[in-house]
Amino acid sequence: MAPSDALTESARRTITLERDAIDALLPRIDDQFSRACELILQCTGRVVVTGMGKSGHIGTKIAATLASTGTPAFFVHPGEASHGDLGMITGEDVVIAISNSGSTGELVTILPLIKRKGASLISMTGKTDSQLARQAHANLNIAITQEACPMNLAPTSSTTVTLVMGDALAVALLEARGFGAEDFAFYHPGGTLGRRLLLKVSDLMHTGDALPRVTRQTPLGEALLEVSRKGLGMTAVVDDSERVIGIFTDGDLRRTLDQGVDIHATPIGDVMTSHCRTVGDNILAAEALKVMEDSKINGLLVTGDSQQLVGALNMHDLLRAGVV
């Protein structure tokens, strides 16, 4: 077999073994799994995930996934727990202890102390008769037949199965809590989804002196200076009550110049676009983006309940905010 064939064959064998290990989890989503979910849903404290070595690395990811999907959680290293960090665990918490063998020394050492504190215990073990599994209020069976490692030594299939079980737990809890896209966005304000679901027009729009506005009688030349000063590529045209009666944009300017209009003598009211699209300041910035895209425009005026001008924004504002 050529070297490249050996490499790809090894990779395929690894994927097959790990896939089979995941498939074996399905019949284990049973009463113990339901009990684990109930313990967490009833928890008035935090979920504390702990584990040594590779189990600890997976535990860190599980804690992060829980925390980002509506279940407050954090990771505690069991070795550090024996040297003071046990104080991070309270009687209102639920502890998820991960150990493939179910007899990891650092975990076994702190088990009596966790129980004494009154915290509920969920174990994730590969041995259902282990000390850790026996002391747990619920045990999630993560046993495997074989590691993907050809020597059956390096944690491979076992860590994959543990991670998948953790994901199953997090998603089941997410759905039980009715955790939705807006909740996810709230926990991820720096991400694209967060920006799209949290930012409103009022967060981005230009207001006050930065807002371009002229009246119907303003000469076109003066209106162009207003467009230039405010830098939004447009100006609102308002009446004496600050109600929007039209808009004048860069595109309107090109069409006006093609018609040979005298920019000094022509009032803006003669060349503005009437009945322009406006939005309220309380809608999502992503909704404003859709209005722009559907209408093939680059800017929007923002109005209040009586069509009074309250703000303006353009595509550059949305780009800078990461909404686009």
Side-chain angles (χ1 to χ4, degrees), residues 282-299:
N282 201 40
I283 71 168
L284 292 174
E287 294 179 71
L289 171 62
K290 188 174 189 311
V291 171
M292 290 187 196
E293 291 175 337
D294 291 346
S295 303
K296 296 181 172 56
I297 56 178
N298 293 316

Side-chain angles (χ1 to χ4, degrees), residues 28-37 136-141:
R28 302 179 203 159
I29 305 301
D30 52 16
D31 291 345
Q32 289 291 304
F33 183 88
S34 297
R35 176 61 178 151
C37 290
H137 296 96
N139 178 61
L140 302 180
N141 185 352

Side-chain angles (χ1 to χ4, degrees), residues 8-19:
T8 55
E9 179 59 30
S10 174
R12 292 191 181 98
R13 183 176 63 252
T14 298
I15 293 170
T16 298
L17 287 169
E18 297 201 7
R19 182 191 62 199

Side-chain angles (χ1 to χ4, degrees), residues 15 29 50 52 59 119 121 135 146 168 173 194 279 298 324:
I15 293 170
I29 305 301
T50 187
M52 278 296 296
L121 177 64
Q135 294 199 38
Q146 180 182 353
L173 294 167
V279 296
N298 293 316
V324 179

Side-chain angles (χ1 to χ4, degrees), residues 286-317:
E287 294 179 71
L289 171 62
K290 188 174 189 311
V291 171
M292 290 187 196
E293 291 175 337
D294 291 346
S295 303
K296 296 181 172 56
I297 56 178
N298 293 316
L300 277 172
L301 299 179
V302 186
T303 56
D305 293 338
S306 300
Q307 279 298 102
Q308 269 88 10
L309 180 69
V310 296
L313 77 163
N314 63 16
M315 192 66 74
H316 293 297
D317 298 317

Side-chain angles (χ1 to χ4, degrees), residues 124-251:
M124 296 178 68
T125 72
K127 297 185 183 301
T128 57
D129 60 347
S130 62
Q131 184 174 357
L132 179 57
R134 289 197 306 270
Q135 294 199 38
H137 296 96
N139 178 61
L140 302 180
N141 185 352
I142 54 171
I144 61 165
T145 302
Q146 180 182 353
E147 297 283 11
C149 165
M151 296 173 290
N152 201 32
L153 296 175
T156 44
S157 298
S158 58
T159 49
T160 298
V161 163
T162 305
L163 182 60
V164 171
M165 183 65 86
D167 286 344
L169 190 63
V171 173
L173 294 167
L174 174 158
E175 294 184 352
R177 295 183 193 280
F179 190 89
E182 289 195 23
D183 299 302
F184 187 86
F186 184 80
Y187 291 159
H188 299 76
T192 300
L193 178 61
R195 289 190 291 271
R196 290 183 66 88
L197 291 179
L198 293 177
L199 280 178
K200 294 188 174 182
V201 166
S202 57
D203 298 320
L204 303 178
M205 68 185 189
H206 300 261
T207 61
D209 292 339
L211 184 55
R213 56 159 72 81
V214 296
T215 64
R216 180 191 294 273
Q217 294 77 30
T218 302
L220 176 56
E222 291 183 26
L224 293 180
L225 290 176
E226 178 74 352
V227 173
S228 178
R229 280 193 298 266
K230 303 303 170 62
L232 295 182
M234 63 181 175
T235 183
V237 184
V238 299
D239 63 14
D240 294 339
S241 299
E242 287 287 299
R243 287 191 295 264
V244 173
I245 58 174
I247 192 171
F248 189 81
T249 68
D250 288 342

